[in-house]
Structure formats: C-alpha cells, structure tokens
Amino acid sequence: MLLDVAISCAAFLLLLAVPAVALGSRPFASSLIYALSVIPLAIVAVVGVSALLGVGEMTTAVLPVGLPWLGSHLSLDALSAFFLVVVGLGGAVTGVYAIGYGRHEHEPWRVLPFYPAFLGAMVIVVLADDASTFLLSWEVMSLLSWALVLAHHRESEAQKAAYVYLVMAGFGTMALLLAFGLLAGGEGGYAFEAIRAGKRSPLAATAILALMLIGAGSKAGLAPLHVWLPLAHPAAPSHVSALMSGVMTKVALYGFIRVVFDLLGPLEWWTSPAVILLGSTTAVLGIVYAMMESDIKKALAYSTIENIGVIFAALGLALAFKASGLTAPAALAFSAALFHIFNHMAFKSLLFMGAGAVLNATGRRDLDGLGGLIGRMPVTSFLVLVGVTAISALPPLNGFASEWLVFQSVLKSPELPQIGLQILIPAAGGLLALAAALVAAAFVRIYGVGFLGRPRSEAARQAKEVDRFSLTAMALLAAICVLAGIFPGLVLDTMAPAVHAMLGSQLPLQAEQPWLTLVPITESRSTYNGLLVMVFIAVSASAAAWMVHRLASRRLRRAPAWDCGFPNADPATQYGAGSFAQPVRRVLGTILMRAHEEVKMPPPGDPSPARHTVHTRDLIWEEIYLRIASTVNVIATRMNHLQFLTIRRYLSLVLFSLVSLLLVLALWN
Amino acid sequence: MGNIAFDLAHLLAGGLVLVSFMMLYQDRLYALLNVFALQAVVLSAAVAWQALIQDASHLYVTALIALVFKALVIPGALHRIIQKLGIHREVEQVVGVGTTMLAGMGLVALSITLMLSLTSAADAIAREDLAFALSVVLLGLLMMVTRRNAVSQVVGFMSLENGLILAATGAKGMPLVVEISVAFSVLIAFIVIGVFLFRIRERFDTVDVGALDSFRGEKR
C-alpha cells in the first residue's frame, strides 16, 4: 500500500515533465509545475515517515517494465523509507521555494521539464530493488541533473561544469555497473534479493567496495572525485543547487549504504580505514577550499564536500565496528551518519536557498560584492544565520547533535581489537575536528562578509527582501534545523528501524530517557540535552542582554560606523573575503593549494597603486585530471591516422584482428 | 546411414573449402566468377544434404535460394558488369599466389584446430561444419584483402557469406527467417555494390580501388 503510493508519486513526478514541456514558456507554468511537484513529494515524505513508524507493512512490487526477463523490482524497507523522507522533505520544501524563485528564471522552459522528472528519478533510485532499475534510474537522475546544470547554457562556466559533470557521471556509472556485475557474480542474479543471498570472496567484496567508493563517491563528492561538484552545483539555478547538494548527494550515499551495508555481506576489517581516511581527508580538503572560495555558491558546494567527508568517515567507522562485531558502536556511528545525512539535507538546502535569495536580490554571488544585507533582507539574513549556525555545529542546532554523535563513535575506537584502527581512528577524528573548526571559520566568513558590515556594491545597497514563498521554504528548513537540534532523540528513534535493518542493532531507545536527553551509549559515559542547552542559552543570553541594558549607561551616543581612524572610508576597507581567509590560507593553503602571495610595490615616484595578489593552484585538478586529459589527448592524436587508411588496409586490419583473436582463443584452450 | 550422412556432409563442406582455395589463385575475372558459381553449387548441395539428414524441409528453400541467386543470378550479373566495364582482360594480384596459398592454409589450420577444440560437446557433423565454415569465412576475407579489383572484392565478400550460410545450416534449429534475411541482405549488398561499381567507374575510369587511394592523395 505505502509502496504503491510512493510509486504513484514517482510516476506522477516523471509524467509532470510532459505538461511542463507543453506549457513551457507560459507565465503561469513555472508556479504551476513547482506547486504540483510539492504535493507528491510531501506524500513521499509522509510515506517514508509512516513506514519508519511501522504504519502499514513494507512490501515489494514488480512492475512489468525494464529488462524483459527481470521487470522492475521495487521495494520499501526501512532504509528506503528513511531516504524517502530525505528526498521527499528536501524536494517538497525546495518546490515551495521554487514557486517564488522560479519567477526570476529567464528561460523557465529549460528548467521546468527536467525538475520534476529529476525528483521522480531520485524517488525511484531509493525504491529500486534490482540492479537494472537502480542503474537506470541512477543514470536518469544523473542526466536530468546534467540538463539542469546546463539550464544557463550560454555561460561558458556552465558549459565547462556540464562537460566535467557528464564525464564524471559517466565514469561513476561505469564503476557502479562493474560493481553490480561483480555483485551479481557468474549466475547473474540482478534482483537485490538474489544478490543478498550470494556469497563472494573477500577479494571480490573489497573490489566492490572500491568500485562503490568510486561510483557513489564521485556522485556524492568524495575527494579526489569531487572536482565536478563545485563546478556543477553552483552553475545550476539555486533551487536546483539546493536539490543537488541537499538531496542528490544523499541519494548517492543511499547507493553506497545499500550496497556496502546491505547487499555486500561481511567485509574484512582492513577495508574500513580506506573509507575512514578518504572521508576525513575529504572533509578537511573540502572545507579548506570552501574557506578560500569567494563565490558564495561555490563555497557552499565545497562545504557539501566537507559534509560528505564527515558522513563517509562515520560510515567507515560503522564498517570498522561492524567487522569486529561491536554492534552498539556500529549502530552509533551509522546513526550518526544517517542523522547527519538528514541534517545536511536541511541546512545545506537552506543555505543554497539563502544564496539564491541573495542572488535574486543583488544579482551577485561573490562575497566581495555583498555585505550589509542584514539590514536590507532581515528575514533572509536571520534564516541564513540559523543555517550557518547549524552547519557550523553549534548547539543547540541539529548539526551539533549529529557531529557530536560522530565524535562519540570516534571515542569508542579503543574497544576495537585491531591496534592499527585504534591508532588510526583517533587520527581521523583529529582531522574531523580540524574540519569542524574550519567549518565554523568558513561560515563566519561567509556570513560576516556577505551579510554584515556595509554594502560593498551598489547592488547590495539596493537589495530588497525576497518573496514570501522563498521565505516560507527557508523558514520551514530553519524550523527543521532547530527542532532536530532540540529533539535529536525523536529523530534518532524514528530512524532506528533503518539502522536496525542494516546492522541488526540500534541505539538505545531515546524516548525512554528523562528530559529528552540524548544517551548514545550509557548515561554514565556521555549525554547531551539539546533542550537544556537551548534553555540555558536563551536564559543566559536574555540575562546578559537584560544586564547590559540595565547596567549600561543610557546615554545615547552616535558615531560613524567603522570609524577606526578612517572617517568616510570606502566599503572596500572592511574585512573582505580574501582577508578573512588569509590566516587559514597561510597555514594550510601553502601546503594544500600551493598558495603564495605576491606584493608588487611601484618604484619610488611612481603614483600607480601597489598590488597584492594571491596565487593558488588546484593540485588535484592539475596533477590528476589535467594529466589524464593530456594523456588521452596524446593517444587520440596518435590514433588519428587510423581514420585515413585505404579500404584494403581496413580490411587487413579486420582480418588481422580476427585472426589474432582466434589465435588467442586457440592458445587459451 | 549415419556414417554416410557424416561422410557426405564432410565431403561437401570440405569441397567448399577446396573451392575457396581455387578462388584464391584465379587471376582472371571470368574464371573467378565461374569458380564462385561452382562454390555456390557446392554450397547448395551441402545445404540440401543437411536438409535431408536433419529432416528440415525449410533448408531446401535455403539451398534453392543459394542455387538460384548465388550460382546463377549474381555470377550472371557480375558477368554483365565486367562486360560492360570492359575489364574482362584484366589480371590482378597484389600478393603472390604462393604467399596467399600459404596464408590460406594457415588460416584453415587455425580455424580447424580452434573449432574442433572449442566445440567438443557438439555432435560431429556440426563440429566439422563449423570448422569448415570458419575456414571459408577467413578465406573470403583473405581474398578481399589480397585483391585490388572491386569486382573480385565483391566476390570475396560473397564467398565469405557462403561460409556463414554453411555455419547457419550446420547448426540445428536455425529458423528459416534468419537465413532468408541473411540471403536477402547479401542481395541488397550486391545491388548496392554493383551500383557503386558503376559510379566508381564513371568517376575514375577504373574499378581498381587503388585509384580511390590515389584520388585521396594516399600513397600505396
């Protein structure tokens, strides 16, 4: 029953592309399509929640489409249900936002047909119960998001982003294809049921894990396969960016979890360090790049990479604990990963929506062209502040709760029997802690430079508050961030069936704890109470405010702002995006990005200004991707003369290749 | 009956390979066409024998198609083309006869050792048929490679296709539709190639494909 509803919603979304094509450029089309997309997604989210709460049974269905002997297997289990909530909630709120935001789109017909189908494909990925349905809907999801990235196809940046994205998506899907080929094995059982029953050697299992790290990791943004993400996510319209960062990366993680935790069977313990280390280095790299980036949407995209790194590290921890049979810590790490997936969906969508609102109001994405928005767009600024606080993992918001759980599971590492992991996991935890600190710095920078201070451009000075739909959507997400932060136990209890389905164990039931306390292991070890922290912050802040107002002098004193020896100074004298990033750039950037600064002083007597330039390099892009590209180019150039052979030479080539293949076959036997 | 059935099928399939060898050293076009017609006759006999021993009446249709089209219509048409183009006196050979024959023998040896070792599970007639069929295919390809005249390349292609038909009929249970469609596609290919022959001739005054290469500025 629940599954049927979810499938109908997905079908409705896919079919919504047809009227979207037909209506295309009509003025009302945009609002209509987005509004229509909200309803099925909200239903999908409700379906997910009710499946998690145990209302209605979890079922499977076989649709007579797809491969002739296989059909399309779809099923709804606890894990799918959890991700249905993520997709449904993220998609529905984004739809509300898009009703307002979509009005500013210059060519809505380039976005409208792909948008609902993209969401529908993501729902199908989550529901898929056989390899062909999974891969097909995965590829549909990739291609539709590619089309959305190309929505502003006249910008050369979008063209480059779409090209890199297409290449990486194809590469990732190829890895997934190989992974499922290995999973199906010689018998070729492609239904997940058959794959689950199959046995495979440790070597094959490791190869599948590696292929999934490549396939799902490239889609999610795991370094060094992340290069497309900071290009593609910002190039799309902002509501699509919110979907891609907030929801699509989660669907990629779903693919990884489904295969590695559900289908693959047991893994050796020595496979987990790869996942943990990849995750934690991704986290640090992503946030260092975000710290350097002055384009607000790009910085958000890099921060997505950081969060994906944290989630992968938590999943790696769960793998390590699971391999050693420590079920309770495994459940803790896995719950932390799922919780962070949910939280990141909420605050990253919120932040991208905020960036979209700023883009609409000012037409600018560079931090150095913004500033002073808190006075001009107070509601947006407040909501973005909630998102920024949440992503910086400050209590009492949701980001803190999930990251706290991640670190709690890091602290359980001494229980592992392997000495290597006992050393490695705290080191990875150190990397994660560094990343968490840098996140706070990066978002202080984004908020401080982008929203506070004085406007740095005429456009920022003229900014107006955005429409009600956008604000409603952002307010909904901000409310989710606050509520999930104050009542983390509720969220964890709701997602417990998904954890149980994957690991066979779960966290202790949080509803039984007094005063909504979060107790991941035992009460004597560590507890967290979001409500208490919230109350404490509210009381102490109010008390401080009261005391300041009460005790401070009441005499009003007016003085020019920022008048620190520079009366009537230009807004450019404020702290800028580059200046804020400088300390981190000098400490970490010199190693990770080969950053160096160059000061050009004009000779004495020359009135021209002095120049201070910063040079950074993207080492992963230059050392890996450009090298591969140039190698391919060299080979292609060498092979070019094969295009200009005579007919007889071609025939000889055919003959020789045929004969040599036959010879190989003859020698093989 | 069983032994005779196998022996005769073996004989006819082997005859097909033998005729393929004969084609390799024909340097006159008319003689080449005659040998090609002979190969089609042998093929049709082989297919008819398969029809008899497999008790598959539809294979008679295949045999008839092979006889009518490959032994009569196509050689006749090619005959007329050669006459019209006035190239019946041309002698051509790119690689020497000895080398070609040695290469052909190597190919036959390869295909027989390969097929006999691969198909050990199949029954004897099918094994022999497949081995010989692969030989015929490879010899047809070899002929296309060693010739320069477009007409003899067409003949090489047709003889390659004879090998395919032999393989198809040797395996039990190949539907008639498949065979008819293969025969039909070959006919279409023949027509297209025939048209092209005339077009090449119109443009370049020769059907030597080497002329095409020199036209493109290539060296041989």
Side-chain angles (χ1 to χ4, degrees):
Chain A
M1 172 59 194
L2 284 177
L3 179 61
D4 298 338
V5 175
I7 295 173
S8 331
C9 289
F12 178 80
L13 284 168
L14 289 172
L15 291 176
L16 199 55
V18 179
V21 171
L23 295 176
S25 51
R26 308 277 176 82
F28 62 89
S30 153
S31 311
L32 180 71
I33 298 291
Y34 289 130
L36 281 178
S37 78
V38 172
I39 302 160
L41 285 162
I43 297 176
V44 162
V46 171
V47 164
V49 172
S50 17
L52 281 174
L53 292 176
V55 185
E57 76 271 39
M58 318 237 173
T59 45
T60 58
V62 183
L63 298 185
V65 288
L67 292 181
W69 64 92
L70 194 61
S72 286
H73 293 248
L74 298 168
S75 84
L76 178 63
D77 65 354
L79 187 70
S80 314
F82 171 72
F83 278 91
L84 277 186
V85 177
V86 172
V87 175
L89 203 57
V93 178
T94 310
V96 174
Y97 175 79
I99 297 174
Y101 182 83
R103 288 189 201 133
H104 305 278
E105 194 64 47
H106 296 299
E107 299 172 309
W109 55 91
R110 294 195 189 283
V111 179
L112 283 184
F114 305 119
Y115 176 86
F118 172 50
L119 284 159
M122 287 199 284
V123 174
I124 301 282
V125 172
V126 173
L127 290 175
D129 200 27
D130 70 62
S132 79
T133 311
F134 181 86
L135 287 172
L136 187 70
S137 45
W138 180 281
E139 195 59 10
V140 168
M141 169 186 89
S142 295
L143 289 179
L144 289 173
S145 56
W146 171 77
L148 288 167
V149 169
L150 259 185
H152 302 153
H153 64 113
R154 289 198 179 80
E155 294 162 18
S156 63
E157 203 180 328
Q159 288 170 13
K160 184 195 173 196
Y163 177 71
V164 175
Y165 179 30
L166 194 63
V167 171
M168 291 304 290
F171 178 67
T173 309
M174 188 191 72
L176 283 186
L177 202 67
L178 294 176
F180 276 104
L182 280 179
L183 276 171
E187 288 78 39
Y190 284 101
F192 282 178
E193 200 66 57
I195 293 177
R196 223 170 264 139
K199 294 265 174 292
R200 40 196 76 81
S201 65
L203 196 69
T206 312
I208 292 167
L209 176 70
L211 285 169
M212 285 311 295
L213 279 175
I214 295 173
S218 71
K219 181 63 91 200
L222 199 60
L225 300 164
H226 66 278
V227 286
W228 64 274
L229 199 147
L231 298 173
H233 286 194
S238 294
H239 56 300
V240 179
S241 311
L243 274 186
M244 288 178 77
S245 254
V247 180
M248 190 175 75
T249 53
K250 307 304 170 297
V251 176
L253 287 167
Y254 164 79
F256 182 79
I257 293 173
R258 172 64 75 191
V259 170
V260 173
F261 283 86
D262 184 15
L263 303 181
L264 189 51
L267 273 165
E268 300 286 322
W269 68 269
W270 43 262
T271 52
S272 54
V275 185
I276 298 171
L277 279 182
L278 270 178
S280 40
T281 42
T282 300
V284 173
L285 269 183
I287 201 61
V288 169
Y289 279 107
M291 188 80 200
M292 305 297 141
E293 189 56 59
S294 64
D295 180 324
I296 184 166
K297 282 178 80 176
K298 270 195 181 170
L300 289 178
Y302 276 120
S303 138
T304 297
I305 296 171
E306 184 266 341
N307 282 283
I308 293 297
V310 172
I311 295 167
F312 263 107
L315 290 175
L317 285 172
L319 277 180
F321 289 123
K322 186 185 160 201
S324 296
L326 299 167
T327 50
L332 171 61
F334 193 77
S335 307
L338 286 191
F339 194 15
H340 201 66
I341 285 173
F342 178 80
N343 292 340
H344 184 247
M345 179 277 291
F347 50 62
K348 190 46 65 66
S349 304
L350 167 58
L351 289 174
F352 263 113
M353 288 175 189
V358 169
L359 183 61
N360 260 348
T362 63
R364 302 193 69 144
R365 276 167 33 180
D366 54 324
L367 286 172
D368 285 323
L370 301 173
L373 294 178
I374 197 161
R376 290 162 181 80
M377 305 171 70
V379 185
T380 306
S381 300
F382 173 71
L383 295 172
V384 170
L385 180 63
V386 174
V388 161
T389 321
I391 203 170
S392 307
L394 293 183
L397 289 152
N398 58 353
F400 176 79
S402 50
E403 292 223 12
W404 183 76
L405 286 176
V406 173
F407 286 108
Q408 287 303 317
S409 60
V410 168
L411 293 178
K412 293 290 277 184
S413 63
E415 290 179 18
L416 284 166
Q418 295 89 9
I419 187 85
L421 286 179
Q422 284 181 10
I423 297 169
L424 186 135
I425 292 178
L431 282 179
L432 290 179
L434 173 66
L438 287 174
V439 172
F443 280 92
V444 166
R445 169 173 172 265
I446 288 178
Y447 199 78
V449 177
F451 289 81
L452 305 181
R454 282 172 295 159
R456 286 155 218 272
S457 67
E458 196 48 42
R461 201 186 308 279
Q462 308 276 328
K464 292 268 179 329
E465 188 60 272
V466 288
D467 57 285
R468 295 240 169 104
F469 286 108
S470 306
L471 292 179
T472 311
M474 288 194 277
L476 282 173
L477 287 175
I480 291 175
C481 287
V482 174
L483 290 178
I486 301 178
F487 307 110
L490 206 62
V491 184
L492 285 172
D493 280 349
T494 314
M495 69 171 64
V499 181
H500 192 84
M502 292 299 110
L503 295 172
S505 59
Q506 61 190 60
L507 289 183
L509 194 61
Q510 303 296 328
E512 287 173 355
Q513 306 295 339
W515 296 104
L516 296 167
T517 308
L518 189 58
V519 183
I521 308 150
T522 54
E523 202 162 338
S524 59
R525 191 180 168 99
S526 53
T527 58
Y528 166 67
N529 191 324
L531 191 62
L532 198 65
V533 173
M534 165 92 170
V535 168
F536 171 74
I537 290 175
V539 168
S540 58
S542 318
W546 179 80
M547 280 168 72
V548 166
H549 280 276
R550 190 75 201 157
L551 303 178
S553 154
R554 281 180 174 277
R555 270 180 302 166
L556 198 64
R557 188 164 62 98
R558 288 196 184 276
W562 292 87
D563 187 24
C564 305
F566 292 97
N568 299 325
D570 190 77
T573 56
Q574 300 175 87
Y575 241 59
S579 37
F580 212 109
Q582 192 196 38
V584 175
R585 190 178 63 230
R586 285 198 173 160
V587 176
L588 292 170
T590 39
I591 309 161
L592 294 176
M593 301 169 78
R594 298 277 182 276
H596 64 273
E597 294 165 18
E598 191 185 359
V599 181
K600 268 203 193 117
M601 293 294 281
D606 187 350
S608 63
R611 292 262 170 224
H612 180 249
T613 10
V614 177
H615 301 278
T616 56
R617 289 170 59 197
D618 190 338
L619 288 181
I620 292 176
W621 177 253
E622 288 173 17
E623 295 297 323
I624 303 178
Y625 288 86
L626 289 187
R627 278 181 193 223
I628 292 176
S630 66
T631 315
V632 169
N633 209 2
V634 166
I635 295 173
T637 317
R638 294 247 174 94
M639 303 291 269
N640 192 31
H641 74 271
L642 279 182
Q643 304 280 334
F644 303 101
L645 294 184
T646 63
I647 297 171
R648 276 192 41 239
R649 290 225 176 109
Y650 279 126
L651 284 173
S652 318
L653 271 184
V654 170
L655 181 68
F656 281 126
S657 43
L658 182 60
V659 168
S660 43
L661 281 178
L662 289 176
L663 270 176
V664 168
L665 203 59
L667 294 177
W668 194 273
N669 281 287
Chain B
M1 183 70 189
N3 251 341
I4 294 179
F6 174 72
D7 287 343
L8 208 53
H10 201 165
L11 173 72
L12 288 169
L16 211 59
V17 178
L18 190 68
V19 179
S20 281
F21 267 109
M22 284 166 65
M23 277 160 85
L24 279 182
Y25 64 81
Q26 302 299 327
D27 49 8
R28 302 261 169 190
L29 285 176
Y30 280 159
L32 183 65
L33 286 186
N34 293 341
V35 178
F36 175 66
L38 175 66
Q39 192 185 32
V41 171
V42 177
L43 173 73
S44 117
V47 173
W49 184 247
Q50 288 286 349
L52 188 69
I53 59 176
Q54 286 181 23
D55 201 15
S57 51
H58 66 266
L59 284 185
Y60 287 118
V61 182
T62 313
L64 194 69
I65 292 174
L67 193 66
V68 172
F69 280 109
K70 299 219 149 155
L72 299 174
V73 176
I74 293 180
L78 280 175
H79 220 273
R80 274 194 52 205
I81 288 176
I82 291 170
Q83 226 166 24
K84 268 195 171 173
L85 297 174
I87 51 171
H88 52 282
R89 281 181 215 287
E90 277 182 28
V91 178
E92 42 99 40
Q93 198 97 46
V94 175
V95 188
V97 174
T99 329
T100 318
M101 296 302 273
L102 278 178
M105 273 141 81
L107 290 180
V108 172
L110 171 67
S111 64
I112 286 178
T113 47
L114 184 68
M115 274 301 170
L116 291 188
S117 67
L118 276 186
T119 56
S120 49
D123 68 297
I125 299 181
R127 288 175 73 190
E128 296 293 342
D129 257 1
L130 283 176
F132 286 130
L134 185 61
S135 315
V136 174
V137 168
L138 289 178
L139 288 177
L141 204 54
L142 180 66
M143 177 157 162
M144 290 180 81
V145 171
T146 52
R147 300 297 176 120
R148 194 184 296 157
N149 188 308
V151 175
S152 33
Q153 283 188 346
V154 171
V155 173
F157 176 68
M158 298 279 158
S159 97
L160 183 156
E161 199 268 338
N162 285 345
L164 292 183
I165 292 191
L166 183 69
T169 53
K172 272 182 194 163
M174 177 75 78
L176 181 63
V177 184
V178 175
E179 286 164 27
I180 288 183
S181 59
V182 168
F184 199 71
S185 61
V186 169
L187 196 67
I188 298 289
F190 167 73
I191 292 169
V192 171
I193 292 171
V195 170
F196 266 103
L197 278 181
F198 279 104
R199 304 296 300 220
I200 293 171
R201 164 74 177 200
E202 269 172 34
R203 293 262 164 171
F204 304 109
D205 263 351
T206 174
V207 284
D208 186 337
V209 290
L212 299 182
D213 305 340
S214 64
F215 177 71
R216 296 195 324 184
E218 300 264 334
K219 281 188 193 138
R220 290 211 297 275

